Amino acid sequence: MKFAYLFLLLNYFVAVSQNNVNIISEEQRISIRVNGSPVNKTPQAIVTIGAVKFDTLNLNIEIENLGNFNQTIYLLNKKEKTKHVEFNYLVNTNKKTLNYLGSYELDNLINFTIPPKPAEDTSYKYSNNILERFCEIKNDKPEYFNNKPNGPCLKPMPDTYTGYAVVLISKAQTPDQKYNILENVFRNNCVTVKQTRFMLDFISFEVERLKLLKSAYPSIVDKNNLEQLSSSFKFDASKNELSMFLKENKNKKETVYEKCAVASNPAEVDQFVGLLGVCSNDGERTLLFNKQYNDFCVTTETATKILNTFIHDREKLDCSKLLYFKCVDKQNYRQVGGVFSYKESESELFGFIEKQEK
């Protein structure tokens, strides 16, 4: 038993001395060979090279339908060797090069106990990091920067931001998490039709994809290319609904996120509050909230009513950040801080508001 424990411990320390590498392609799928050996036979958008023991990798990257290129990468931090770190690179298909996206320490908690079924989530998590001005990772949760201008979107976000979005999506455990990530990306950044089509592919169900596209509409800079979005859908019903939506919004200047100048009917909001109130726990409330909150424009007062249906500060805080974008009197939004049980939660919301006001 003692030797088995020592063997397990040795394996653990060998494992944590290794690194991971994610190669992400935002356009064409890719296949990769490392030092001549194939990593993936089927082309993928994200290729993970795991358990890397060396600090130098010679890569051959095959871009589907566009040929291949060679590049050497070095898994170092300020020229020093690293252990248990994940490195992320974005493929530039035009120049056939790799762009460095950043590196993150992997979760190094040791746990020798056998988890009960269903198996314990062993996916790696982020530490606190800032991905340029795209978003900030705090306690394993992304907090997005508002990069949209006061007026209409004229300039799209950098391609590296698309890469950052893919990095976050690759960590998502559920379809709802993927949807929430992309909704935040579209809300806070201007995008092209090409970027939109690429990110929509990460959503499996067409009804959710269509709903997300409608929310992304105000962020799209090249609306002359909107017809290309139909290729993101297979079913005629989805394509017809998309066509009707684009036709209805062709001459509208107001956008989905910016149109909250007038609050929704209080009776409709109260009905939403009632539905949240009958949920048995905050997990169920969060799922319902995420699916329906975007249908409402709220005042500070009605936002407070919605948030008070939640029990825990964690869920109240997450939802309060989303409701901020739907509030018609943002100048008063700090008043919702009274819903929290802890000053730390209130302070984090105030910091979030200050970031959006810059």
Side-chain angles (χ1 to χ4, degrees), residues 48-298:
T48 298
I49 307 169
V52 180
K53 301 178 182 178
F54 307 101
D55 53 31
T56 303
L57 293 182
N58 298 309
L59 307 179
N60 177 268
I61 301 173
E62 177 80 24
I63 306 174
E64 199 171 27
N65 303 321
L66 291 177
N68 62 75
F69 67 94
N70 297 317
Q71 185 160 338
T72 300
I73 60 174
Y74 304 95
L75 310 184
L76 302 172
N77 181 18
K78 297 180 179 179
K79 299 183 180 181
E80 297 293 331
K81 291 187 176 182
T82 61
K83 295 181 180 180
H84 208 51
V85 171
E86 179 178 275
F87 293 81
N88 295 287
Y89 291 85
L90 177 67
V91 176
N92 185 321
T93 53
N94 293 325
K95 297 181 179 180
K96 291 188 177 179
T97 58
L98 293 180
N99 294 330
Y100 178 63
L101 293 178
S103 61
Y104 309 92
E105 289 189 9
L106 299 173
D107 184 4
N108 58 3
L109 296 178
I110 186 168
N111 184 2
F112 291 115
T113 60
I114 299 175
K117 292 185 178 181
E120 181 180 320
D121 172 26
T122 57
S123 63
Y124 297 127
K125 297 180 180 180
Y126 285 113
S127 302
N128 291 348
N129 280 282
I130 295 179
L131 305 180
E132 296 184 55
R133 271 199 56 83
F134 175 67
C135 77
E136 184 176 5
I137 310 298
K138 284 188 174 181
N139 300 320
D140 303 322
K141 289 186 177 181
E143 185 175 297
Y144 298 85
F145 290 92
N146 180 14
N147 296 311
K148 292 181 68 175
N150 293 328
C153 273
L154 301 175
K155 183 179 179 181
M157 68 181 185
D159 285 340
T160 51
Y161 285 19
T162 312
Y164 294 147
V166 175
V167 170
L168 293 177
I169 292 170
S170 70
K171 303 299 178 184
Q173 301 300 308
T174 66
D176 281 341
Q177 289 176 351
K178 291 182 180 180
Y179 185 96
N180 291 339
I181 289 169
L182 292 181
E183 185 183 32
N184 274 288
V185 172
F186 290 133
R187 177 189 294 112
N188 291 287
N189 298 277
C190 299
V191 294
T192 62
V193 166
K194 184 178 180 181
Q195 290 171 329
T196 303
R197 288 172 58 196
F198 172 74
M199 289 187 283
L200 285 177
D201 283 345
F202 290 95
I203 303 299
S204 301
F205 299 105
E206 288 210 356
V207 63
E208 295 295 313
R209 197 179 298 173
L210 187 60
K211 183 179 177 183
L212 185 61
L213 175 55
K214 289 179 179 179
S215 68
Y217 179 84
S219 299
I220 297 175
V221 300
D222 53 337
K223 289 187 169 60
N224 55 309
N225 295 324
L226 287 170
E227 291 75 13
Q228 298 176 15
L229 293 170
S230 62
S231 63
S232 295
F233 302 93
K234 296 180 180 178
F235 303 116
D236 289 339
S238 300
K239 292 183 178 181
N240 291 337
E241 187 173 346
L242 173 63
S243 179
M244 290 178 59
F245 172 79
L246 296 180
K247 186 177 181 180
E248 291 172 359
N249 286 272
K250 185 175 182 180
N251 298 317
K252 286 186 178 180
K253 293 184 178 180
E254 285 189 326
T255 65
V256 175
Y257 292 120
E258 293 166 350
K259 72 179 182 181
C260 276
V262 179
S264 299
N265 187 317
E268 295 178 356
V269 179
D270 286 343
Q271 185 178 12
F272 181 43
V273 170
L275 292 173
L276 291 170
V278 298
C279 293
S280 59
N281 55 62
D282 276 357
E284 290 182 5
R285 288 186 192 91
T286 300
L287 289 175
L288 177 61
F289 176 90
N290 286 335
K291 289 182 181 298
Q292 296 192 19
Y293 86 94
N294 205 36
D295 297 333
F296 302 96
C297 292
V298 299

